[in-house]
Amino acid sequence: MQGKFITFEGIDGAGKSTHIGFVTDFLESHGKTVVSSREPGGTPLGEKLRDLLLHEKMDLETEALLMFASRREHIAQVIAPNLGEGKWVLSDRFTDASFAYQSGGRGLARAKMEALESWVHADLQPDLTLLFDVPLEVARQRLNATRTLDKFEREQADFFARCRAEYLRRAEQFPERFVVVDSTRSIADIQASLAQVLEKLL
Ligand SMILES: Nc1ncnc2c1ncn2[C@@H]1O[C@H](COP(=O)(O)OP(=O)(O)OP(=O)(O)O)[C@@H](O)[C@H]1O
Ligand SMILES: Cc1cn([C@H]2C[C@H](O)[C@@H](COP(=O)(O)O)O2)c(=O)[nH]c1=O
């Protein structure tokens, strides 16, 4: 039996990573085997690409291509084999992030992103995408409180406004797989909502 593929999305600081442990525990308590991963990254090569992507200046098209190179390796080494074994795969970001950041944020033509998407994973889409949505100021406060900022996290508010708008546009375009989570609520409230969403997928 094929497993299910769940992706976690949102602008930096929205709170998506916070909930991956909860979703893992919830699914395991319902008898699922869960593999949790991230993009860019998730494989030894992908993690090297992540380091470059998060810390080196580069041309916009190079950035988009490296995101998809990391994704191709992630699909080949982690996502496809585990789904094939009936495991549930959770990924902290996937292709919606490329639309949000490289197209929405940086302005790369959407058609280029669509071409890469159909080249790299024509026959794979998430079963569920959880979009953690917060106003920019909330995300910024959460980030500033916790860490040294990387290349993306140092972008200005208008960049994140465009990323957020593109995420919300994707959610409208693909309502069958997207659930938009109001991430301004308390962690406990959000987890109660997540449990309801996940129940339907079991
Ligand atoms: N609902 C919430 N209420 C208050 N604080 C939160 C909430 N969700 C997450 N946080 C806090 O906000 C900070 C950022 O959360 P988290 O790392 O999950 O964000 P993220 O969206 O995964 O960010 P990034 O994409 O940059 O990794 C953490 O300190 C976390 O504890
Ligand atoms: C997959 C993907 C990611 N990004 C950006 C978004 C974030 O700023 C970083 C990853 O950091 P996180 O703390 O692990 O969320 O990378 C991107 O621009 N495009 C993508 O496709």
Side-chain angles (χ1 to χ4, degrees), residues 53 59-67 102 106 151-152:
L53 281 159
D59 176 78
L60 159 59
E61 309 231 356
T62 308
E63 184 179 279
L65 290 164
L66 289 182
M67 289 292 178
Q102 279 66 54
R106 300 237 194 270
K151 182 180 94 180
F152 292 98

Side-chain angles (χ1 to χ4, degrees), residues 8 33 45 49-51 55 60 70 73 123 129 146 190:
F8 293 69
T33 305
L45 175 60
L49 294 174
R50 180 185 174 90
D51 194 37
H55 300 109
L60 159 59
S70 165
E73 192 69 10
D123 49 3
T129 297
T146 52
I190 293 170

Side-chain angles (χ1 to χ4, degrees), residues 104-169:
R106 300 237 194 270
L108 189 64
R110 238 181 240 142
K112 292 192 174 175
M113 222 44 63
E114 285 161 356
L116 285 169
E117 180 182 34
S118 60
W119 178 20
V120 169
H121 60 95
D123 49 3
L124 174 75
Q125 284 296 338
D127 295 288
L128 171 67
T129 297
L130 297 167
L131 172 55
F132 292 85
D133 185 53
V134 285
L136 312 184
E137 316 74 63
V138 176
R140 178 57 49 184
Q141 272 170 7
R142 287 181 184 172
L143 276 185
N144 285 341
T146 52
R147 62 184 89 162
T148 311
L149 304 184
D150 65 37
K151 182 180 94 180
F152 292 98
E153 290 165 346
R154 286 196 303 272
E155 287 289 344
Q156 299 300 307
D158 58 339
F159 173 86
F160 288 108
R162 293 192 300 274
C163 294
R164 185 186 183 199
E166 179 66 10
Y167 267 135
L168 291 170
R169 193 196 66 78

